[in-house]
Amino acid sequence: MSISAASSASSSRLPAGFGSASFEAFLESRSEPGWVTDQRRAAFALYQEKLGTPLNPEEWKRVDLRTFQPNRFSLTTAGTAPAQFETLLQDRAQFAGAVSEVDGRAVSVKLDENLVRQGVLFGNLSDLVHDHREILEPHLMTRAVRPDRDRFAAWHAAFWTGGTVLYVPKNVTVEGPLYSLIGLSEPDAADFSHTLVILEEGASSTLLEETGSATTENAGLHVGAVELLVGDGARLQYVQLQNWNQKVWHLAHQTGLVGRDASLQWTVAGIGAHLAHIHQQVTLEGRGSTAEVNGVTFATDRQVLSYYTQQTHQAEHTRSDLLYKDVLRDRARVIWRGMIRVDKDAQQTDGYQRNDSLLLSPTCRADSIPGLEIEADEVRCTHGATAGRVDEEQIFYCMCRGLSRYEAMHMIVEGFFHGVYDRIAVEAVRDTLSQAVIRKLGFE
Amino acid sequence: MSEFQKVATVAELPPGGRKSLVIDDRAILVFRIGDDFYAVEDVCSHDGQPLTDGELLGMEIECPRHGARFDVRTGKPMCMPAVEPIATFTVEVREGDIYLGPEA
């Protein structure tokens, strides 16, 4: 299914770039409450300061930003270009609610009436800041992704364009998944969408988010942030399927905070983008909390997909389990730098991380660097990484059974990813990923 | 980079000079050695990071971090730790201007 955005004659663009003039014009176009504007101004000052400070070399030295020219991109302020999105996920399940945003502007919001009555909020951040300050202000970039983290966090905090907010009150269970689409449509458009999920104590929900481009040729920029705040005893499943075209720059900070006895299952899929760098952090704040992190990445051509993941254990009896699987072809490059950090008080924790890479051609490259930093003395923390080419013997075996070389390759790739698919509870997501992989391999 | 495009003038680059470029989202380094011009992709095939400030030793560029060397004419790795070549590009001089062409 494709969704079409409402169309109007034209759209207005702010001056290209992200300097003071663009920032003032951006604020002018927004008419937001004072507390939001104040937050933005503070973040913009921080952004300008951080531009002069080098990035953390441990995180960035393998990611080449020399060809990144942020000043060619601009924000749109009004009007909506007609856009058709080939979404992968949208027609695969019945959703209890759906929101979409294109080129940084809200397009549509839908939520089941029953959920509205139970106090669930699901909509665009740009709209909700006007009437829900009491819910948003304590959480918006104050606990999970703080603007002072680095220049990208500050940049996002100054210029966020909207994004999905999900708030589930205490002990409310949202049955059935919710869906969110972030789209880029016009040439050189920028999207600074912010995903904020707040689950109160004992709440439960599933959010499936997808990013996509309306065209294959328009370049774009996404500087995003995801904040997942999982309250005590709450359960969240969150999926982000990054499926931009191969001309988009994707830079994002994504953080989940997990409360006492709460659980977070987080799946990150990277299919598109010219260059993507995700700083993903999971912090187990409360005793007995658990987090499962799944990564599925398929990079081809000259794509560069980079992940910097951190699993931080701050409390006792916490468990984290990360599995990233990536497949590479052509001249693609995937970088994964993972760290498990265990604080002094986080005894009896169990941390695991693993990254497997499958290289389909001799010219692609995978960098896999797991790490541990442990201050407690009674823990179990393990990690591993593998990288390898497709075994010619396996291909030969499949071809002996009548499969073409291509079919054999597909079977092997599909089998490789199955280790992650098996961990994903939502069937629609498993099917979508499988379909995306088939497409990317080059046959429908 | 299917067609030749002007990237510098001969006057800009004295013998031994170099210039960094970004073309079609690729970082490229152009050299002048004597009166000849060469262009290579500005990324070491060993660690994936820039060669920009590496020393020129005869016809070879040395990676400033781990000492890998590449022949600027062919991109061929000349010593460890590099084992894979780097991309090279055709360069032409036309009436005092330097034009960069397709990947060789």
Side-chain angles (χ1 to χ4, degrees), chain A residues 61-62 64 66-69 72 249 274 302 331 333 362-363 365 367, chain B residues 22 25-27 41-50 52 84 103:
Chain A
K61 71 179 175 190
R62 291 173 188 85
D64 195 346
R66 283 178 296 170
T67 59
F68 180 45
Q69 296 166 298
R72 65 183 277 204
W249 296 78
H274 169 69
R302 287 189 170 269
R331 295 193 162 269
R333 183 153 187 216
T363 44
R365 172 179 179 134
D367 291 48
Chain B
V22 172
D25 285 332
R26 293 175 79 176
E41 182 157 23
D42 190 4
V43 178
C44 178
S45 68
H46 164 241
D47 70 356
Q49 293 171 60
T52 320
E84 296 285 332
E103 193 170 330

Side-chain angles (χ1 to χ4, degrees), chain A residues 18-26 44 48 159:
Chain A
F18 300 89
S20 298
S22 298
F23 182 65
E24 291 303 328
F26 174 69
F44 186 70
Q48 290 195 306
F159 285 97

Side-chain angles (χ1 to χ4, degrees), chain A residues 113-404:
Chain A
E113 283 296 322
N114 280 325
L115 294 174
V116 177
R117 276 196 291 277
Q118 290 180 73
V120 173
L121 276 184
F122 185 53
N124 195 288
L125 181 59
S126 297
D127 303 331
L128 296 175
V129 285
H130 291 282
D131 299 325
H132 297 281
R133 176 177 180 171
E134 71 297 345
I135 292 174
L136 298 176
E137 194 180 10
H139 301 299
L140 183 62
M141 300 201 81
T142 56
R143 295 173 53 205
V145 178
R146 295 167 55 98
D148 59 6
R149 207 189 256 179
D150 69 7
R151 75 174 69 150
F152 297 103
W155 190 12
H156 171 85
F159 285 97
W160 62 259
T161 49
T164 304
V165 173
L166 168 62
Y167 166 79
V168 185
K170 193 171 170 180
N171 295 328
V172 170
T173 297
V174 178
E175 301 282 355
L178 299 164
Y179 174 78
S180 147
L181 171 71
I182 305 166
L184 276 169
S185 154
E186 293 193 22
D188 295 330
D191 165 82
F192 280 55
S193 57
H194 188 100
T195 302
L196 175 60
V197 178
I198 307 163
L199 296 196
E200 298 269 24
E201 195 178 329
S204 159
S205 185
T206 298
L207 174 62
L208 312 182
E209 191 158 59
E210 178 176 10
T211 74
S213 301
T215 65
T216 52
E217 65 277 354
N218 287 349
L221 169 67
H222 169 82
V223 179
V226 172
E227 300 187 283
L228 310 174
L229 310 173
V230 188
D232 293 348
R235 301 173 70 81
L236 174 66
Q237 283 194 61
Y238 173 72
V239 176
Q240 193 187 51
L241 170 58
Q242 183 271 98
N243 190 35
W244 303 118
N245 68 22
Q246 289 197 13
K247 302 244 169 115
V248 172
W249 296 78
H250 178 99
L251 303 160
H253 275 283
Q254 310 190 335
T255 296
L257 305 180
V258 193
R260 185 171 46 79
D261 296 322
S263 81
L264 169 64
Q265 195 200 51
W266 187 350
T267 302
V268 179
I271 306 287
H274 169 69
L275 179 144
H277 178 79
I278 292 177
H279 181 131
Q280 184 190 36
Q281 182 158 344
V282 179
T283 306
L284 298 149
E285 290 185 327
R287 187 189 165 93
S289 56
T290 63
E292 189 181 278
V293 184
N294 304 314
V296 174
T297 297
F298 191 176
T300 58
D301 305 296
R302 287 189 170 269
Q303 285 185 291
V304 178
L305 305 181
S306 157
Y307 300 92
Y308 186 82
T309 70
Q310 251 181 322
Q311 297 150 262
T312 305
H313 293 256
Q314 291 181 341
E316 289 179 302
H317 296 278
T318 50
R319 192 176 72 83
S320 71
D321 180 355
L322 176 144
L323 175 64
Y324 265 65
K325 283 193 175 249
D326 34 82
V327 174
L328 300 85
R329 204 185 63 198
D330 312 320
R331 295 193 162 269
R333 183 153 187 216
V334 173
I335 301 146
W336 173 74
R337 174 84 174 93
M339 180 65 80
I340 295 178
R341 197 194 135 73
V342 181
D343 287 357
K344 206 167 176 193
D345 299 330
Q347 301 290 5
Q348 304 282 325
T349 61
D350 182 352
Y352 184 62
Q353 59 176 345
R354 180 180 173 125
N355 174 225
D356 297 323
S357 308
L358 183 68
L359 290 79
L360 301 186
S361 33
T363 44
C364 51
R365 172 179 179 134
D367 291 48
S368 184
I369 308 132
L372 297 168
E373 197 179 331
I374 298 169
E375 290 187 26
D377 55 12
E378 204 181 345
V379 301
R380 187 178 80 162
C381 288
T382 39
H383 62 196
T386 67
R389 298 283 306 276
V390 174
D391 188 349
E392 281 297 324
E393 295 255 321
Q394 287 178 7
I395 295 196
F396 180 72
Y397 177 82
C398 292
M399 289 171 78
C400 287
R401 309 255 150 189
L403 298 181
S404 69

